[in-house]
Amino acid sequence: MRPDPDRSALVLVDIQPDFMPGGNLAVTDGDDILEGVRSLMTSGAFPLQVATQDWHPPDHVSFARHHPDHEPLEVVKLFGHEQVLWPDHCVQGTPGAELHPDLPWERVSVIVRKGADPECDSYSGFRNNWSPDGSRPTTGLAGYLRERGVEELFLCGLARDVCVKWTAEDGAREGFRTHVIWDLTRSVDPSGDDQVRNGLEKAGVRLIEAKDLKRASP
Ligand code: VGL
Ligand code: ZN
C-alpha cells in the first residue's frame, strides 16, 4: 500500500511517557511501538503528520482520586454515559504529559491537546467525550485535515483500546478513509483486543501492519 503523500496524514495518538511502562497509566509494552513509529515518521512516506496529546488539569473529572469510594479502572456514570476512572495521568506541564522525548516531533505540524476541560474527558482527537449538555464538541482537527486536502488517515499510538480506537472511529465517521497501523498500537487491556478489532472493522476502519506501508516505500 502506497499512501498518496498529498492526500494522507499520519496521526500520532498520545505517545507520552505516562502511557509507557513505569508511567502513571502504563500501557502494556507501550514502548515497543517507539522504534517503528520513529521509522515511519522519518520514512518520507508522510509529509503531513499530526499528533494528539492527552492534557489534563490536576482536577480532571476522569481521575479516580476525585470520586470518593471509587478505585482506578472502575466505571461510573457521568452525564448519562459510562466513564472509566483513571489514575492521575498526563497532568498538564508534568514530564509524563510530554510528547515522548525519543521521537522527532519537529516533523509534526499540528498537536491537538485534548482533555483540558476539567468536566469532560476526551479520548478522540476529533471530539471530546460527552459534555454535560450531551454534545461532543469538536477539536477542529477534521476541518484542519480537510483544508489540507487529506482524505486518508493512518493512525498509530496509544492506547489501542481507548484513544486510538475513539480517534479512528471518529475519523471514519468524519469521512476519512481511516487505517489503524495495528502493530504500532498497544492496549491498556490486551484481553479486549478481539473486541477492539471487531469494533473498528464494523466502523469501517481498515487494520494494517507497518510492513504494509514499508513495502510500498520507494
Ligand atoms: C487514554 C485513558 C485515559 C489514551 C487517555 O490515550 O488512550 N486512555 N486517557
Ligand atoms: Zn486521559
Side-chain angles (χ1 to χ4, degrees):
M1 172 187 306
R2 187 190 294 274
D4 179 342
D6 295 325
R7 303 209 176 279
S8 56
L10 180 64
V11 182
L12 303 138
V13 178
D14 295 6
I15 309 180
Q16 297 167 258
D18 265 349
F19 297 121
M20 302 288 156
N24 287 335
L25 208 178
V27 174
T28 314
D29 300 330
D31 52 344
D32 282 2
I33 69 168
L34 291 171
E35 201 183 309
V37 169
R38 160 177 277 281
S39 84
L40 212 51
M41 288 175 84
T42 54
S43 68
F46 293 103
L48 183 60
Q49 305 183 14
V50 303
T52 66
Q53 185 173 20
D54 213 36
W55 191 249
H56 300 308
D59 58 348
H60 194 253
V61 68
S62 76
F63 295 172
R65 195 158 51 81
H66 303 305
H67 299 258
D69 308 327
H70 291 284
E71 297 294 319
L73 304 184
E74 282 182 23
V75 179
V76 296
K77 269 271 160 75
L78 188 65
F79 315 130
H81 297 277
E82 292 195 339
Q83 169 72 47
V84 179
L85 299 179
W86 302 106
D88 290 17
H89 65 279
C90 298
V91 174
Q92 296 169 3
T94 63
E98 284 169 15
L99 296 174
H100 196 285
D102 294 353
L103 293 177
W105 297 107
E106 67 277 5
R107 292 169 191 264
V108 166
S109 60
V110 163
I111 299 160
V112 174
R113 286 179 163 167
K114 60 185 184 61
D117 179 347
E119 298 256 329
C120 182
D121 211 353
S122 190
Y123 293 156
S124 164
F126 290 101
R127 288 178 185 278
N128 292 355
N129 303 8
W130 298 274
S131 300
D133 70 0
S135 68
R136 291 193 57 209
T138 175
T139 64
L141 180 60
Y144 171 82
L145 292 168
R146 266 187 221 114
E147 286 202 28
R148 293 289 306 258
V150 170
E151 296 171 0
E152 191 163 54
L153 306 179
F154 293 84
L155 275 69
C156 59
L158 304 170
R160 177 188 283 161
D161 49 345
V162 189
C163 292
V164 173
K165 176 176 187 286
W166 281 58
T167 304
E169 290 177 355
D170 276 350
R173 214 172 278 135
E174 291 285 347
F176 298 103
R177 204 159 44 251
T178 303
H179 305 76
V180 167
I181 309 165
W182 185 261
D183 55 326
L184 296 184
T185 65
R186 290 292 182 280
S187 294
V188 173
D189 176 13
S191 74
D193 275 356
D194 285 347
Q195 212 179 329
V196 172
R197 195 183 271 279
N198 292 339
L200 286 170
E201 282 175 344
K202 216 157 112 196
V205 175
R206 298 144 204 240
L207 306 181
I208 62 169
E209 306 272 325
K211 66 173 162 39
D212 301 335
L213 296 167
K214 276 217 189 90
R215 210 184 291 130
S217 299

